[in-house]
Amino acid sequence: MSGRLILAGTPIGNSDDASLRLRDLLEHAPIIAAEDTRRLYALAQRLNIVVNGKVVSFHEHNENDKADELLDAVESGQDVLVVTDAGMPSVSDPGYRVVSRAIERNLTVTAAPGPSAVLTALALSGLPTDRFTFEGFPPRKPGELQRALAALRTERRTMVFFESTHRIAATLEAMAHELGAHRRAAVCRELTKTYEQVLRGTLEELSSHAATEQLRGEIAIVVAGDTGSAEISVDTLVAEVLERVQQGERLKTVVAEVAQSAQYSKRELYAAALAAKSGVEQR
C-alpha cells in the first residue's frame, strides 16, 4: 500500500499561524522535503517541536532530480511531507513538478492547507476578490516586463504579483505606465510580521511612494482589473460629483465613490471638484 505526498502550508511570517496539523506532520512525517533545511529546523525550534524524520533538501534547482526519488518512497508506503520557506508549496515555489509526476504515477496527493501570501494580500487590498489571477514575479528585463504588462491591460480580474525589494520601484513605475496611472492597487509588505504594511492608492501614487521611500521585505502587489470601459475624462467625473453634491451628498463621500468606480486618483478628483465647485460659487 502506497503512502501519500503531502503538501503543507507554513507560516508566511508569524509562527503562531502554524496549524496543529502542520506541527503534527513536522514531528511525525518519515520524510520531509524542505526548500531550505535550515529554515525548517528554525521553524521547528520556534514551534517548540522536534523533527524526527529524514529531511531532504528540495528546491527549484533539484526538483526535477529529486521528484522521482521522493515518489519512490511514497510508492514504497511512506508519507513524504513537502514544505517551502513560507506559504503553500507549488505556488511560486517548488512542488508543481513532483505533484505532476505523482499524478502520472497514480500516487496519492493531499494537502495540509495553511497560510498564503497571495490570498492574504488579496483580502487586505480592498480590491474585488470575486475573480482574481496570480501572476507570480514579473519579468526582470525592462522589455520583457513592458510586454508582459501590456498583455494584461485588458485583464478584467484582480491581479496579484510578487516582487523583490530591489525591483519594486521599477515595477510599479512600469505598471503605472502600461496599466494606467489611475489604476487602483495595493502594495502589501511583511504580511503577518511585526512591520506589516499595506499601501493603497493608484499605481501613480504607489510608484511615487516607492521612488522616494525604499520598501523592504517580502512584497505582494495587488492591482485592480480593467473595468472594460473607455477612459473617462476628469471633467465628466467632476460633473458627476457636483451633480450629486448639489442633490445633498457630501463632497468627500461622493469623490471617494466616483474615484473608486472610475479607477481615478481620489486626491486629484477631489482637488478638481473643489476647484470647479469654487468656480461655480463665484459666478
Side-chain angles (χ1 to χ4, degrees):
M1 186 175 181
S2 66
R4 301 170 298 167
L5 181 71
I6 308 170
L7 309 180
T10 54
I12 60 175
N14 191 324
S15 299
D16 289 339
D17 291 335
S19 68
L20 292 176
R21 189 177 175 196
L22 173 65
R23 294 167 186 262
D24 182 68
L25 287 168
L26 290 175
E27 282 191 295
H28 300 108
I31 300 175
I32 301 176
E35 184 178 10
D36 187 322
T37 58
R38 292 169 299 179
R39 292 195 179 189
L40 170 66
Y41 284 117
L43 174 62
Q45 186 174 26
R46 292 196 299 273
L47 298 178
N48 197 29
I49 60 176
V50 176
V51 173
N52 295 296
K54 177 184 177 183
V55 177
V56 178
S57 178
F58 184 69
H59 47 75
E60 61 177 333
H61 302 297
N62 71 358
E63 186 174 1
N64 272 327
D65 297 331
K66 289 282 187 180
D68 284 318
E69 179 183 325
L70 294 172
L71 296 178
D72 287 343
V74 172
E75 197 165 30
S76 72
Q78 299 183 81
D79 283 346
V80 174
L81 178 67
V82 178
V83 294
T84 62
D85 294 344
M88 284 296 297
S90 82
V91 181
S92 200
D93 274 322
Y96 165 73
R97 292 180 181 87
V98 70
V99 170
S100 296
R101 292 192 192 177
I103 294 170
E104 290 172 0
R105 293 175 60 166
N106 199 30
L107 298 173
T108 299
V109 182
T110 187
S116 165
V118 176
L119 297 181
T120 303
L122 180 68
L124 294 179
S125 69
L127 298 172
T129 59
D130 53 340
R131 298 176 67 237
F132 70 93
T133 173
F134 175 54
E135 298 296 330
F137 283 90
R140 294 184 177 184
K141 295 182 179 179
E144 293 178 5
L145 175 62
Q146 182 270 326
R147 287 190 290 274
L149 293 175
L152 293 172
R153 283 177 190 158
T154 57
E155 172 58 65
R156 303 292 294 272
R157 295 168 293 183
T158 299
M159 296 166 280
V160 184
F161 302 81
F162 285 165
E163 191 50 284
S164 69
T165 296
H166 303 296
R167 296 241 359 114
I168 183 65
T171 296
L172 286 172
E173 182 180 8
M175 285 180 169
H177 184 266
E178 296 299 332
L179 301 179
H182 302 301
R183 184 82 68 99
R184 305 299 299 176
V187 173
C188 310
R189 54 177 292 272
E190 294 293 87
L191 292 173
T192 77
K193 300 178 184 178
T194 302
Y195 298 105
E196 175 181 287
Q197 181 183 38
V198 180
L199 301 171
R200 304 176 183 88
T202 65
L203 283 172
E204 182 179 50
E205 293 167 342
L206 295 172
S207 176
S208 297
H209 182 90
T212 57
E213 183 176 331
Q214 185 175 8
L215 300 175
R216 294 184 170 86
E218 302 289 334
I219 299 172
I221 308 170
V222 187
V223 182
D226 179 40
T227 60
S229 59
E231 188 172 341
I232 304 173
S233 71
V234 65
D235 290 339
T236 300
L237 298 178
V238 168
E240 179 183 349
V241 169
L242 294 184
E243 182 180 353
R244 289 177 56 178
V245 168
Q246 193 172 21
Q247 293 174 358
E249 295 186 62
R250 292 182 67 250
L251 178 61
K252 286 187 176 181
T253 301
V254 175
V255 166
E257 292 178 359
V258 172
Q260 183 175 13
S261 176
Q263 294 185 0
Y264 197 84
S265 167
K266 183 170 64 175
R267 182 177 58 188
E268 291 181 17
L269 181 57
Y270 182 78
L274 204 60
K277 184 172 181 291
S278 177
V280 170
E281 291 175 348
Q282 289 176 9
R283 291 175 187 173

